[in-house]
Amino acid sequence: MTRTNATGRLRRMELLAVQLKQDAHCTVKDLALQHGVSARTIARDISLMRDQGMQIDADRGRGGGLRLDQNWGVGRVNLTYSEAVDLLISIAVAEQMDSPMFLASLGSVRRQLEASFSKKKRHKVNQLKSRILIGITASTYVQASASAPPKRVVQALHQAFIDQEMLDIQYTREDGLSSKRRIAPHYLLLKYPVWYVVAYDQLRHAPRMFRCDRMSSATKTGMHFHLLPKEDFHPSLTNDDLSV
């Protein structure tokens, strides 16, 4: 087995342990579909986890499921780089919102996460955090019309934002007009609870602000962009003249 495959298997087993601990009913077939591997591969993983001492019980009969004994802990939390970055950014958002709840512990968690990164990666994470902006709370009118963006859109936007990659999006304006846009997602703006993308619109050749929940599709283009300073987007951040 190559090192890459071994690393992937260890990571999959960590996730399996968490799933079996949390989910009341997991079948080998369901787990195989979720992880994109064969049922035989999952069965081998479960066998190895049992060999390591994990108490994994199986329900007998057709459709029987697997579960990890509720008294078994999943051990130390191991995060991938992208998961750690997401958690750090979430902490940064909470700190910027200055909510009094839970902030006492967040600083300690943030410092421990940052200490796990190399100096180069810490600089990259700090740059990402500086590109997340917190605005005023969205109006009741906006909140009433807001909805959760499609998961596939969130995933594409998330990766494009981190990699500074242009996105092709299908966007619907407030008046119902839909159009295709190519945008460079420079900054993310939270007007709680609504997220916006502060971007450079290639179609309009100008800064624009897009509501994430109005994106029906998003596809990475493979084309990267250089980050522009916040001052270049100042009009769209201070009034609605350039928002769509």
Side-chain angles (χ1 to χ4, degrees):
M1 179 181 291
T2 66
R3 180 176 178 83
T4 301
N5 288 339
T7 302
R9 185 177 192 183
L10 289 173
R11 179 60 181 163
R12 186 172 62 248
M13 288 167 62
E14 290 174 358
L15 295 175
L16 284 172
V18 173
Q19 285 179 274
L20 294 174
K21 175 77 174 179
Q22 294 178 338
D23 295 343
H25 185 84
C26 294
T27 66
V28 170
K29 181 179 179 181
D30 289 340
L31 293 171
L33 288 172
Q34 291 174 30
H35 291 274
V37 296
S38 67
R40 181 174 296 180
T41 296
I42 293 294
R44 285 198 296 264
D45 290 344
I46 297 297
S47 178
L48 183 55
M49 291 164 70
R50 282 175 171 148
D51 290 342
Q52 293 175 340
M54 292 189 186
Q55 185 64 47
I56 299 176
D57 300 322
D59 296 327
R60 296 184 180 277
R62 186 175 182 180
L66 301 167
R67 62 181 179 277
L68 184 62
D69 187 280
Q70 293 301 303
N71 293 319
W72 181 275
V74 296
R76 184 176 59 187
V77 176
N78 294 310
L79 300 176
T80 64
Y81 172 69
S82 60
E83 289 171 339
V85 168
D86 285 352
L87 183 53
L88 270 176
I89 291 174
S90 298
I91 291 174
V93 169
E95 289 177 331
Q96 287 186 59
M97 292 182 70
D98 200 25
S99 170
M101 297 297 290
F102 313 117
L103 284 181
S105 299
L106 285 183
S108 174
V109 174
R110 172 174 49 75
R111 288 190 292 273
Q112 292 181 62
L113 284 170
E114 290 175 342
S116 69
F117 291 139
S118 66
K119 184 177 181 179
K120 183 178 180 180
K121 286 186 176 179
R122 282 200 299 271
H123 175 73
K124 183 177 180 180
V125 171
N126 286 332
Q127 185 187 49
L128 284 172
K129 290 193 295 185
S130 71
R131 293 169 58 200
I132 298 178
L133 314 174
I134 305 298
I136 61 174
T137 301
S139 66
T140 53
Y141 173 78
V142 170
Q143 290 188 45
S145 64
S147 60
K151 185 176 180 179
R152 63 185 182 278
V153 170
V154 172
Q155 291 172 337
L157 174 59
H158 174 273
Q159 201 59 51
F161 174 73
I162 290 177
D163 296 338
Q164 290 182 213
E165 186 174 334
M166 292 186 185
L167 272 178
D168 284 339
I169 65 170
Q170 186 74 32
Y171 190 78
T172 303
R173 302 192 321 187
E174 185 177 4
D175 60 8
L177 182 64
S178 180
S179 63
K180 292 182 178 180
R181 304 290 187 91
R182 174 163 291 182
I183 65 171
H186 282 70
Y187 299 93
L188 295 179
L189 171 64
L190 174 61
K191 292 186 176 182
Y192 184 83
V194 183
W195 281 96
Y196 295 80
V197 183
V198 182
Y200 190 85
D201 186 346
Q202 298 296 106
L203 180 64
R204 302 286 189 263
H205 300 290
R208 289 292 188 272
M209 194 158 66
F210 300 88
R211 257 177 58 175
C212 294
D213 62 317
R214 288 185 179 159
M215 298 180 185
S216 56
S217 68
T219 306
K220 296 199 301 174
T221 64
M223 301 171 59
H224 295 273
F225 62 88
H226 293 291
L227 193 65
L228 298 174
K230 293 177 186 175
E231 291 75 18
D232 289 8
F233 298 90
H234 185 66
S236 61
L237 293 175
T238 55
N239 57 58
D240 292 329
D241 292 343
L242 295 181
S243 61
V244 293

